[in-house]
Amino acid sequence: MKIIARCHPLLEPLLPKPVRATHALPDWLGEMPSQIDATTLGGATVRTLKHCPPIIDAMRLGVLILCPTDITVRGGVVSWDWDPPILTDANISRAPIGVHVPEQAEGSPYAGQQLFLKFMNFWTLQTPPGWSLLFMHPQGYPDLPFTTLGGVVDCDTYSDGYVHFPALLTPGFEGVIPKGTPVAQAVPVQKETALEIAAMSPVQVADNRAVQDELARTPGQYRKVFRR
């Protein structure tokens, strides 16, 4: 599965390029210990999130779209120092960020938030036929001063337009969102989903018990046997 990212040739020298998420894992993951003594368990040694493949694999999915320039937030005012060229053959904002008016969230759980940002994206994104992109907050980056809202776009057909990213600014935040900060994670998905619900057969109950017993008995069993 391949995602193709394109930008206007005059912007290409200015923009931080999208990166595969697997190449931009958060620093804390490498710095955290692999195991630690848990005071809540009387000092017993436990493995940390560093040993959780599902969490790590979620961080590695898809690609990250990066903030095009430094964004400063002071006193409720959002500003930047960025002067991209005027594109006479394109219809896209020269501002790296926009805002959503509060009324757009009226009636939703997001109503009353301090500030709705809209990170402008200057890359078109193309997926193979049948594949869409799920855009969401970058996994593994809960400490960012904003939360990107999730959305799905059919980038197999909508491959020549731009997808921008609404985000909720953390209340009280003042400071700089640096150039290159991940603002959205784009994960390929297929939207058609079938669901079948059934009780386990006796054989499946036995197989389930065997898997659970082995997981409890052997550290890293999921990673060693089931992970691809």
Side-chain angles (χ1 to χ4, degrees), residues 9-117:
L10 295 182
L11 296 180
E12 195 273 338
L14 304 178
L15 297 174
K17 295 175 174 58
V19 295
R20 290 182 59 197
T22 193
H23 294 156
L25 296 175
D27 293 338
W28 62 260
L29 184 62
E31 296 167 357
M32 74 180 299
S34 295
Q35 57 185 29
I36 194 170
D37 296 338
T39 57
T40 53
L41 295 177
T45 300
V46 296
R47 295 185 300 163
T48 67
L49 292 177
K50 208 164 191 170
H51 286 281
C52 185
I55 290 179
I56 295 173
D57 286 346
M59 299 181 199
R60 297 174 58 214
L61 282 177
V63 302
L64 296 176
I65 310 299
L66 310 180
C67 190
T69 189
D70 290 353
I71 305 295
T72 301
V73 182
R74 298 282 185 217
V77 176
V78 182
S79 63
W80 53 88
D81 183 13
W82 193 50
D83 188 27
I86 296 174
L87 306 179
T88 59
D89 56 352
N91 183 14
I92 186 173
S93 170
R94 295 177 69 241
I97 203 161
V99 295
H100 286 283
V101 297
E103 291 81 2
Q104 289 179 278
E106 195 63 37
S108 77
Y110 307 115
Q113 296 289 335
Q114 180 188 30
L115 187 61
F116 259 111
L117 302 179

Side-chain angles (χ1 to χ4, degrees), residues 162-181:
Y162 299 105
V163 180
H164 308 299
F165 313 119
L168 301 175
L169 187 67
T170 301
F173 171 76
E174 293 206 352
V176 176
I177 301 171
K179 176 180 180 178
T181 297

Side-chain angles (χ1 to χ4, degrees), residues 121-180:
N121 169 37
F122 299 90
W123 297 89
T124 64
L125 299 163
Q126 180 179 354
T127 54
W131 288 87
S132 301
L133 287 178
L134 165 63
F135 295 96
M136 60 185 180
H137 186 84
Q139 300 299 290
Y141 290 88
D143 53 344
L144 292 175
F146 57 85
T147 301
T148 304
L149 302 187
V152 175
V153 178
D154 295 331
C155 288
D156 53 348
T157 55
Y158 185 74
S159 58
D160 293 316
Y162 299 105
V163 180
H164 308 299
F165 313 119
L168 301 175
L169 187 67
T170 301
F173 171 76
E174 293 206 352
V176 176
I177 301 171
K179 176 180 180 178

